[in-house]
Amino acid sequence: MQDAHVIFDDFTEEFTNRPVGISRMCYYGVFDGHAGHRAAQFAADHLHKNIILKFPKGETANKDREIKKCLTDAYKKTDEEFLLEASKASPVWKDGSTAVTALAVDDVLYVANLGDSRALLCRCGDNGKTSVVSLSKDHSPSQYEERMRIQKAGGTVREGRVLGVLEVSRSIGDGRFKRCGVSCVPDVMRCTLTDNDRFLLLACDGLWKGFTVDSALKFINNILENEESEETVLETDRGTEDVQIDPVSARFQDACNKIASEAIRNGSSDNVTVMLVSITKQ
């Protein structure tokens, strides 16, 4: 297992000085490692700390622009820090990781991503039908702009991979491919949350090897619409224990467990990490 994830339902608690003019912050991330687990775990441990370090201080004239810059700078710093650690190892670490993170600031969601892990928002229409809002962009060496950047840097794309090896064109780590144009600069998308938003789905590419986007959302919705709830067994650092949790949390956890297992049954042979975040307006 080379994936990692992080959950902060109250991200303001991580700040030494609470951000000015913000009443609520949440932070979530999924990191899909390759060539080892270290880049994914490093990103899970350090990216949010760099977001805190880079987060705009005081009132800002253009908060959206400053937060987007904060996320970009935090991704760059995390990549630099990991590559420094990797270069000190003997032999040098070759690990890399995709990343998809969601930062909720009051009722605005900022999603940043590298690679092919995805963020999707499930939104209900007035007619009761659900729709999907894509909040991430896959970064493949086969895409024109990605391929052009790689070739301009002196790299090549063979069989849809950088140098015929790396399947993504942006990542944290992957030091041996950085000189070939592999970037750590994320795409950042902004979305204002509404009363019709139901949940946010973050998942690595292992899920999408067993599901299409539409079939995944249908599968999850079918479980969440089941009003029956039971006590759920949770894994803790101390072992397994029976814990009473509320019905909504139980259904969300059940949906994560079932769709990950179903992806494997559908033919995915990769690690599968799935995170569901219930959307509640202030």
Side-chain angles (χ1 to χ4, degrees):
M1 182 63 176
Q2 297 179 341
D3 293 359
H5 68 276
V6 63
I7 297 171
F8 289 104
D9 287 322
D10 187 354
F11 195 40
T12 59
E13 291 185 348
E14 304 303 309
F15 285 74
T16 302
N17 297 312
R18 189 184 182 96
V20 176
I22 294 172
S23 59
R24 181 176 67 168
M25 292 180 72
C26 312
Y27 172 79
Y28 309 97
V30 169
F31 308 93
D32 182 4
H34 47 261
H37 71 281
R38 287 167 291 215
Q41 192 59 56
F42 188 93
D45 292 340
H46 293 85
L47 180 55
H48 67 279
K49 296 177 183 177
N50 287 328
I51 291 173
I52 293 170
L53 183 67
K54 299 289 185 179
F55 200 81
K57 307 296 190 294
E59 296 285 354
T60 59
N62 190 329
K63 186 167 68 173
D64 284 338
R65 184 181 65 187
E66 292 300 316
I67 292 177
K68 288 179 179 179
K69 183 178 185 300
C70 154
L71 291 170
T72 298
D73 290 347
Y75 268 70
K76 289 180 179 179
K77 182 173 175 58
T78 303
D79 183 63
E80 291 170 1
E81 290 173 341
F82 177 75
L83 291 178
L84 180 60
E85 290 299 311
S87 68
K88 294 177 181 177
S90 182
V92 173
W93 297 341
K94 297 180 179 180
D95 309 43
S97 179
T98 71
V100 59
T101 60
L103 176 67
V105 181
D106 292 329
D107 291 332
V108 179
L109 193 64
Y110 299 89
V111 175
N113 84 288
L114 299 170
D116 52 12
S117 294
R118 297 179 182 175
L120 303 169
L121 182 68
C122 179
R123 177 169 287 172
C124 295
D126 295 333
N127 58 2
K129 292 185 178 180
T130 59
S131 61
V132 179
V133 180
S134 178
L135 294 175
S136 60
K137 178 182 177 182
D138 285 358
H139 298 129
S140 166
S142 299
Q143 295 167 347
Y144 177 77
E145 291 182 358
E146 301 295 293
R147 186 172 72 251
M148 289 299 100
R149 185 186 68 249
I150 290 165
Q151 292 177 346
K152 186 176 180 180
T156 60
V157 177
R158 300 195 305 272
E159 298 180 351
R161 297 170 180 254
V162 181
L163 302 185
V165 178
L166 185 62
E167 199 170 357
V168 294
S169 53
R170 302 192 196 189
S171 66
I172 288 172
D174 288 315
R176 56 189 166 145
F177 298 106
K178 283 298 194 286
R179 61 179 176 78
C180 303
V182 171
S183 174
C184 64
V185 178
D187 270 309
V188 182
M189 296 190 186
R190 176 194 185 279
C191 177
T192 300
L193 298 173
T194 73
D195 292 328
N196 292 329
D197 295 329
R198 191 171 189 193
F199 61 82
L200 175 70
L201 168 64
L202 303 179
C204 68
D205 70 321
L207 178 66
W208 311 115
K209 293 176 181 178
F211 278 93
T212 64
V213 169
D214 288 340
S215 64
L217 270 292
K218 182 178 179 180
F219 187 93
I220 292 168
N221 274 316
N222 286 339
I223 296 172
L224 296 183
E225 288 168 2
N226 181 1
E227 295 183 354
E228 296 178 3
S229 62
E230 299 176 354
E231 291 186 359
T232 303
V233 176
L234 299 178
E235 293 292 332
T236 71
D237 291 338
R238 299 180 301 277
T240 302
E241 59 183 26
D242 290 333
V243 179
Q244 181 74 40
I245 62 175
D246 69 88
V248 174
S249 296
R251 288 199 298 274
F252 270 68
Q253 178 171 300
D254 192 37
C256 285
N257 293 339
K258 287 182 177 177
I259 196 169
S261 297
E262 189 68 15
I264 301 299
R265 283 193 287 269
N266 288 346
S268 177
S269 58
D270 201 352
N271 297 151
V272 181
T273 297
V274 182
M275 186 182 298
L276 288 172
V277 182
S278 176
I279 304 296
T280 56
K281 291 278 286 182
Q282 287 181 291

